[in-house]
Each structure stands twice: as structure tokens, then as C-alpha cells.
């Protein structure tokens, strides 16, 4: 279980699962879509405001709303209902130059529309800002339990990989599309996300080098470390119905480390072994990588990042790029994105996406 593995193996694994059901290559179709007037949140009460996102640096532009270009579209990433990827893109009108782009990924139970304050802020500063609905979220959900039901189905039937891996597949296909756009510099595409979105950003960058600057926020963790050190409770509690269902199926009176390990192995093979952070974080080198977390985060314990951090430092050192790796743990902060984290991410993207040659 603890052996290292190649990132390419994961891509081949996911591709093999895909082509078992779809033996012919699936075309990346692009369809126009309408703005979502009432986005679905799978949580009650519905969130209405994020101080952290609203704090993102934004240029004051007269008549900003009239100068903002909004695109809503669907990409086809594979067959089936969940293979229809909803995409929201914001940019400023008028520029004919290729611009840097950033993909933003939402947290559990939210949607791409939730990220609009970040998209507008980055668009005002000259970026093409992109958000998607992760699998079983937003337009890819039909009710308040869609994501939970998909997780339980994955445990019982091994039919999908709703926790991280299927959305990472979408990110690979999204990169296919973004690198073909005439308004985007294909060498300057960043990726970031919060919580579940931070995990998606981390794994998406690990398997696809077209994401050239990477900022996972409160998402990077050591899955195997948490099992070995009995620190898995915070992560498990975030999707508790899945683990309760597994506990019952395994005849256990309580969720324990055996249940946790079996769930990860079933719904996301390799997550707690060859694709865990000690292997996938260093794989991002030498591309600029900023990991931002809370020093007291129970879902992403800081101690679980010691090994991936040391291996990343080694990898970036060998690539003569130590300045391109940074891990920031905000003191006294648990599992939440803060204004400090948003500013750190903004500065990182400005430093490494805007300074690259087009």
C-alpha cells in the first residue's frame, strides 16, 4: 500500500475505466448554455456571502459590468449525464491579446456560480477566469443529496469515482479546450480551488502539466498519514453518510481505520497509497506551487504534510526552482478559506502567470 507510483499510471487507469465503456474516442463537443438563475446548493441554509472571496483584489473599472464578457457553455468530456461539463467564463471585452487564465474550483455542495466574486476580481485584472461544476454539483445535481448518493453508489457498486478522480478527468478535457482558445495563452493556465476544489486543483495539476501555476487552498492532505496516525475523523465527518453506509456493510459498530481505508480503496483507488500527497505534490515540480492551509485544520492536518513538503522541497531543489514552491499555514485557522489565503493566492498568480512570456 505504501509504494510510490507513477502519475501516468493513474491516467492510464482512469482512461482504461473510461474506454471499457466507451471504446471509441469521445469528441470534445462545445455547446452554448444559458446563465444559471437559481444555482443549486446541496446545503441548508444556503450560503449567501463569502467575506474571503469578496476581499480578492479587484481593479476599479468604470462601467465594469458593461465591459465584462460572460460565457456559459457545456463541454462533453465523456458519454452519460455526468459527462456534460458546465463551464462559466468571465473576461474583459476588447482585448485581442492572449491572456493568462485561471480555473477555479468550488468546495463541497457548492457550484461554479458561488465563485463569481473571484472570477470578477481576476477578470478585472486581465485574466480569463473559468469555473466549472464538479461532478454531482451545480447543474450536474438534481437535488440536495445528489453528491451524497453518488458517493454511496460508488462504495456499493464501484460504478464511478465521484470523489476527486472523475472531476480530474474533466479538468484534463477542460485543458484540451482552453489551450485551443484564441484568447488564452496556453502556456499560462493556472488552477486553484477551495477544500474539495483544492483537492481537484492539486490532482488536476499533478496529472496535467498544462496547468502551469497551482494554488490548492485548504485541500492538500496526507490520506495514508491520517489513517496511520488516527487523524482521519475530520475528513470522514465531511462526508459522513458514505462512511456510515460502509460501516454497516462491513458489519462494524463504529467507523474505524479499516472502514476508512476500505472506502478510499474502493471509491478512489490509490488515494491513500501511490497517488497520495507524498507522491503527487512533488510531481508538480518545477511548476510554481503554493499550498495554503489552516494550521489547525482537522480535515487537512498540518503534520500530515511534512513528508510531501520535504519531498517537494527536494524535487524543486533538484529542478533549481526552490523559489517556486511554498507552503503557508495560517496560524489559528481551521478548515476555512480566509482573506489572507485569497490574497496569498492572488499574489502568487500575479507573480508567476503575469511574468511568464506569452
Amino acid at each position: 500500500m505504501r509504494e510510490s507510483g507513477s502519475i501516468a499510471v493513474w491516467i492510464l487507469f482512469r482512461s482504461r475505466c473510461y474506454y471499457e465503456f466507451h471504446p471509441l474516442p469521445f469528441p470534445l463537443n462545445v455547446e452554448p448554455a444559458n446563465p444559471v438563475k437559481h444555482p443549486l446548493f446541496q446545503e441548508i441554509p444556503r450560503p449567501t456571502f463569502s467575506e474571503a472571496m469578496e476581499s480578492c483584489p479587484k481593479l476599479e473599472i468604470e462601467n465594469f459590468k458593461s465591459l465584462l464578457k460572460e460565457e456559459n457553455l457545456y463541454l462533453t468530456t465523456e458519454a452519460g449525464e455526468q459527462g456534460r461539463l458546465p463551464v462559466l467564463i468571465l473576461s474583459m471585452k476588447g482585448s485581442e491579446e492572449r491572456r493568462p487564465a485561471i480555473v477555479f474550483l468550488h468546495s463541497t455542495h457548492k457550484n461554479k456560480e458561488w465563485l463569481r466574486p473571484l472570477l470578477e476580481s481576476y477578470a478585472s485584472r486581465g485574466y480569463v477566469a473559468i469555473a466549472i461544476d464538479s461532478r454531482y454539483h451545480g447543474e450536474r445535481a438534481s437535488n440536495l443529496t445528489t453528491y451524497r448518493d453518488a458517493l454511496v453508489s460508488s462504495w456499493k457498486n464501484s460504478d464511478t469515482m465521484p470523489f476527486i478522480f472523475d472531476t480530474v478527468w474533466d479538468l484534463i478535457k477542460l485543458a484540451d479546450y482552453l489551450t485551443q482558445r484564441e484568447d488564452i495563452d496556453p502556456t499560462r493556465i493556472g488552477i486553484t480551488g477551495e477544500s474539495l476544489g483544492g483537492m481537484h486543483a492539486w490532482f488536476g495539476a499533478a496529472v496535467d502539466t498544462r496547468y502551469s501555476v497551482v494554488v490548492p487552498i485548504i485541500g492538500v492532505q496526507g490520506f495514508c498519514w491520517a489513517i496511520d496516525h488516527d487523524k482521519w475523523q475530520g475528513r470522514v465527518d465531511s462526508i459522513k453518510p458514505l462512511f456510515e453506509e460502509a460501516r454497516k456493510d462491513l458489519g462494524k459498530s463504529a467507523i474505524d481505520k479499516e472502514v476508512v481505508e476500505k472506502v478510499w480503496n474502493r471509491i478512489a483507488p490509490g488515494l491513500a497509497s501511490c497517488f497520495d500527497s507524498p507522491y503527487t505534490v512533488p510531481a508538480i515540480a518545477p511548476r510554481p506551487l503554493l499550498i495554503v492551509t489552516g494550521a489547525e485544520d482537522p480535515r487537512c492536518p498540518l503534520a500530515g504534510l511534512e513528508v510531501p513538503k520535504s519531498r517537494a522541497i527536494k524535487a524543486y531543489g533538484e529542478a533549481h526552482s526552490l523559489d517556486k514552491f511554498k507552503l503557508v499555514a495560517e496560524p489559528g485557522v481551521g478548515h476555512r478559506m480566509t482573506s489572507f489565503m485569497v490574497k496569498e493566492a492572488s499574489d502568487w498568480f500575479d507573480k508567476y502567470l503575469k511574468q511568464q512570456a506569452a
Side-chain angles (χ1 to χ4, degrees):
M1 173 180 171
R2 312 293 190 245
E3 295 179 358
S4 175
S6 167
I7 303 305
V9 174
W10 182 86
I11 299 175
L12 292 172
F13 172 78
R14 180 61 177 80
S15 300
R16 184 184 66 196
C17 293
Y18 170 67
Y19 285 115
E20 283 178 1
F21 297 98
H22 315 292
L24 297 177
F26 209 83
L28 186 69
N29 293 328
V30 182
E31 303 175 39
N34 295 317
V36 178
K37 294 182 178 179
H38 304 289
L40 175 63
F41 291 84
Q42 296 179 64
E43 55 189 355
I44 299 175
R46 170 179 169 157
T48 58
F49 178 79
S50 168
E51 181 180 356
M53 288 196 296
E54 293 289 349
S55 73
C56 187
K58 182 178 182 180
L59 289 184
E60 294 296 328
I61 299 174
E62 188 175 355
N63 300 320
F64 172 71
K65 293 294 185 181
S66 65
L67 296 173
L68 188 65
K69 178 182 178 182
E70 175 174 338
E71 300 171 71
N72 290 271
L73 54 92
Y74 299 113
L75 298 182
T76 303
T77 62
E78 61 184 28
E81 181 180 348
Q82 289 296 319
R84 198 170 191 234
L85 174 65
V87 184
L88 170 62
I89 303 175
L90 297 186
S91 60
M92 299 304 293
K93 299 174 183 176
S95 175
E96 297 182 359
E97 297 180 353
R98 289 183 180 267
R99 287 166 279 179
I102 302 175
V103 174
F104 298 83
L105 298 148
H106 60 76
S107 55
T108 304
H109 297 152
K110 293 187 175 66
N111 48 60
K112 63 186 183 301
E113 286 74 26
W114 173 249
L115 298 168
R116 192 175 185 96
L118 291 178
L119 303 185
E120 290 190 1
S121 295
Y122 277 87
S124 77
R125 290 164 28 217
Y127 292 92
V128 178
I130 304 108
I132 67 169
D133 285 328
S134 300
R135 295 283 178 122
Y136 306 97
H137 286 79
E139 293 186 76
R140 305 167 101 175
S142 58
N143 56 54
L144 293 175
T145 65
T146 297
Y147 181 52
R148 182 194 72 187
D149 295 344
L151 291 171
V152 171
S153 178
S154 179
W155 160 256
K156 290 185 175 294
N157 305 307
S158 297
D159 51 352
T160 58
M161 300 183 198
F163 188 69
I164 303 178
F165 288 175
D166 278 347
T167 296
V168 171
W169 176 261
D170 291 333
L171 291 172
I172 294 171
K173 305 304 288 182
L174 178 65
D176 289 344
Y177 168 71
L178 296 179
T179 54
Q180 296 172 12
R181 285 179 60 109
E182 294 184 355
D183 59 340
I184 291 176
D185 181 346
T187 69
R188 294 190 292 165
I189 301 177
I191 190 167
T192 186
E194 172 193 5
S195 192
L196 176 63
M199 288 186 266
H200 288 147
W202 152 29
F203 280 97
V207 302
D208 197 323
T209 58
R210 290 174 294 183
Y211 293 109
S212 60
V213 181
V214 190
V215 185
I217 300 174
I218 60 170
V220 180
Q221 60 213 264
F223 287 93
C224 179
W225 180 93
I227 293 172
D228 289 345
H229 293 82
D230 197 34
K231 297 292 185 181
W232 44 263
Q233 293 83 358
R235 173 54 57 200
V236 166
D237 286 345
S238 69
I239 44 177
K240 191 80 170 280
L242 161 66
F243 290 90
E244 284 291 352
E245 199 69 30
R247 174 192 65 77
K248 291 186 287 185
D249 289 347
L250 294 170
K252 297 270 191 171
S253 60
I255 299 171
D256 58 18
K257 63 186 298 182
E258 181 186 0
V259 173
V260 176
E261 189 164 3
K262 286 184 180 296
V263 167
W264 293 146
N265 286 341
R266 178 78 65 86
I267 74 167
L271 184 65
S273 54
C274 59
F275 305 129
D276 203 354
S277 55
Y279 310 112
T280 46
V281 168
I284 296 172
R287 290 166 287 156
L289 168 61
L290 169 66
I291 298 173
V292 191
T293 193
E296 308 301 327
D297 190 341
R299 299 185 191 180
C300 307
L302 188 58
L305 297 183
E306 285 302 316
V307 172
K309 176 184 176 181
S310 64
R311 291 186 180 182
I313 289 173
K314 181 175 185 293
Y316 279 85
E318 290 174 348
H320 307 289
S321 301
L322 269 177
D323 59 320
K324 294 181 179 178
F325 173 74
K326 186 178 180 181
L327 190 155
V328 177
E330 187 173 358
V333 174
H335 191 75
R336 63 183 179 91
M337 185 171 70
T338 67
S339 297
F340 168 79
M341 296 175 184
V342 169
K343 181 62 164 56
E344 286 285 306
S346 176
D347 290 345
W348 192 261
F349 283 125
D350 282 353
K351 179 178 180 179
Y352 286 108
L353 276 184
K354 286 195 169 181
Q355 77 173 12
Q356 291 183 22

